[in-house]
Amino acid sequence: MGDIIVIAEHEKGRLKRYSLELVGKAAELAPQLQGRVHAVLVGEGLQALAEDLGRYGAQVVTILETPAMAAQYNSDGFTTLLTKFIEATKPSVVLAAASPMGKDCLPRVAMRLKTGLIADAVQITVADGKVVARHPIFAGKALVDCIVKSEPQMVLVRPNVFPVPEPNKNGKAEVRAQAADPGQMRAVVKETIEEERGDDDLTEAQIVVSGGRALASSENFKYIRELANAIGGTVGASRAAVDAGYISHDHQVGQTGKTVNPTLYIACGISGAIQHLAGMRTSKYIVAINKDQDAPIFTKADFGVVGDLFAILPLLSERIARIKREG
Ligand SMILES: Cc1cc2nc3c(=O)[nH]c(=O)nc-3n(C[C@H](O)[C@H](O)[C@H](O)COP(=O)(O)OP(=O)(O)OC[C@H]3O[C@@H](n4cnc5c(N)ncnc54)[C@H](O)[C@@H]3O)c2cc1C
């Protein structure tokens, strides 16, 4: 029983949505563990973000200030900083997102702390003073509840499985800033190259345009990309499209892919198998384009178009581009 530390991430001056989800979840669990919610940020000039975390439920926020890592994630540096911080703070639980950073860094931290880590959790509860994390096994065929017996209990949580709490404008965290030494870093990030529009982080996207098996080739994914570009969306895909090699696995939405939670999800030539729905069913508005009027996706769609996507998508992208041009 004790405090929960949330490893909070930020990019381009904004907190990652999954970090806010984790703070909200931690605030729900902390009373059952008789502890506090303690968030940690790494970088410089992060006072405003620390205060934001307070509005979402963090009671204490520590900023590990290090000029070397003001903007860039670094495996060695983050591992050293977070290990030292957790050793000094002695929490019961550490929560981080199963993001690229979380998946790279937290197993290293767990090794150094000689504790256990549960990866890819989709639910967290508390029983007998311990956190119980549920996560998929056997490529998503079953779910298992796990407990880390040692402390801190470390859990990587899949993004978009918890709601982001409503911010409380009176919520205030105690913000502590401390200079931190990342130690020796064997590699440094010299340059970051922005991905082409349409390949942004799916888990953070507000608009997702996904293509399925019906696309029939990687070239035809241009229709998905064009629509995504036209409406400022990010490209997703079904597993059938990924398995067929039309697009890479990092675009896969679903039980064995990414969980998304956008305002608008457009499913093109996707039947709506339960494993696909598992990754996008919480989208606010779902639009389906499918030539089979009995496709299961239509039972989940707010708006459906029955027709051939190869006829519909170019028209849609062109019409949106024209509206944008003509204002
Ligand atoms: C353990 C396990 C995990 C899985 N994990 C995932 C996962 O993470 N994500 C995932 O997506 N799937 C997952 N699957 C696979 C899932 O069961 C489906 O097989 C898959 O989602 C089907 O993809 P699809 O809808 O693109 O293809 P299909 O089911 O073949 O559907 C294609 C659709 O396109 C329509 N269509 C065809 N031509 C056109 C056209 N010209 N215009 C418009 N519509 C057209 C058809 O009517 C059809 O509805 C998993 C399966 C298992 C067993």
Side-chain angles (χ1 to χ4, degrees), residues 150-199:
S150 49
E151 286 213 346
Q153 294 185 274
M154 294 185 58
V155 185
L156 282 177
V157 182
R158 192 185 277 202
N160 287 318
V161 295
F162 303 132
V164 172
E166 282 300 317
N168 169 5
K169 63 178 180 348
N170 301 320
K172 209 167 162 30
E174 175 193 337
V175 178
R176 304 168 182 168
Q178 62 187 59
D181 178 10
Q184 199 197 353
M185 293 186 277
R186 288 170 294 179
V188 286
V189 180
K190 290 202 154 174
E191 189 188 1
T192 306
I193 299 164
E194 292 275 332
E195 279 185 296
E196 181 193 336
R197 192 85 185 95
D199 282 348

Side-chain angles (χ1 to χ4, degrees), residues 213 238-239 252-256 271 275-276 290 308-309:
R213 195 197 306 271
S238 72
R239 175 160 160 182
Q252 184 178 316
V253 173
Q255 193 175 307
T256 43
S271 58
Q275 296 88 355
H276 187 80
N290 197 302
D308 182 358
L309 67 87

